[in-house]
Amino acid sequence: MPDYLDDLRFAHVLADAADAATMNRFKALDLKVETKPDMTPVSEADKAAEELIRGQLGRARPRDAILGEEYGVEGTGPRRWVIDPIDGTKNYVRGVPVWATLISLMEAGETGFQPVVGVVSAPALGRRWWAAKSHGAFTGRSLSSASRLHVSRVSKLTDASFAYSSLSGWEEQGRLGGFLDLTREVWRTRAYGDFWPYMLVAEGAVDICAEPELSLWDMAANAIIVTESGGTFTGLDGRPGPHSGNAAASNGLLHDELLGYLNQRY
């Protein structure tokens, strides 16, 4: 049984390089920003960070495949690195510090590719979270200076904190009614957005979170960190892992209720 710790250490090296590249251009007055065909922004820093990570992977892990948001799939095989160079590009280009580089290693198994290593690095917040399969999830400044993550034990929705990104996606999918019913039931709601709600679930600071439309690179690293912290990560269809095109994450105790509300259609 592989322990993935060498891969985790290497993922930290990749994150260190990406952090240096992204912070170098954060709040730069001459930052170049383009609009992709799907009408989402991409900055020169997104591209530079992904190119940097791909270059290091090509040298150190030449047999592994790579899937990245900006440059697609490269290579084949049972191991695939999944990269979002800047998750939260809209925040990045506006100078909001809530953005992160997401790096995950996925490995082929009986149920398809599943994440076995994940690193989420948010240098503008001074935070990093990581996990490896069967080794738990952690946060801290480095591998040697870290604290273990544990989800909350909140068992009632009326006591729960619910995080989300926005309302528009839920409305487009006809799920807004159930979403609003959930917001009325819980103790507290906050729209932290992007990677951060999942990390807060892993820390036990938030109890449930969900997003209606996502790509694999948005979810793979988050999924392993949430599950290794004792939580549950599925699609809105209840399928475990980051493969459903959307996500629901929780402390596990509230997951069925979370899915029940979000699958109500009006």
Side-chain angles (χ1 to χ4, degrees), residues 106-144:
M106 302 187 74
E107 195 166 74
E110 294 179 359
T111 57
F113 280 91
Q114 294 297 337
V116 293
V117 166
V119 172
V120 172
S121 191
L125 293 176
R127 298 294 310 277
R128 185 177 290 186
W129 303 261
W130 62 89
K133 185 178 179 180
S134 301
H135 286 279
F138 297 84
T139 186
R141 294 285 183 177
S142 66
L143 281 166
S144 60

Side-chain angles (χ1 to χ4, degrees), residues 84 87-88 98 100 102 118-122 125 127-131 137-139 149-152 161-166 170 179 190-236 239 241-252 255 258-259 262:
D84 189 342
D87 182 54
V98 183
L102 277 53
V119 172
V120 172
S121 191
L125 293 176
R127 298 294 310 277
R128 185 177 290 186
W129 303 261
W130 62 89
F138 297 84
T139 186
L149 298 174
H150 297 281
V151 295
S152 75
S161 179
F162 171 42
Y164 61 96
S165 287
S166 67
W170 301 103
F179 174 90
R190 285 294 183 272
Y192 297 113
D194 300 306
F195 68 94
W196 209 6
Y198 303 97
M199 300 304 97
L200 293 172
V201 168
E203 291 181 353
V206 164
D207 310 299
I208 54 176
C209 69
E211 289 182 272
E213 187 174 2
L214 294 167
S215 298
L216 181 60
W217 47 76
D218 298 313
M219 297 183 281
N222 295 335
I224 182 74
I225 293 171
V226 168
T227 55
E228 284 294 321
S229 67
T232 300
F233 189 105
T234 72
L236 297 178
R239 180 184 177 191
H243 295 288
S244 299
N246 46 49
S250 76
N251 63 5
H255 207 79
L258 171 63
L259 294 180
L262 297 180

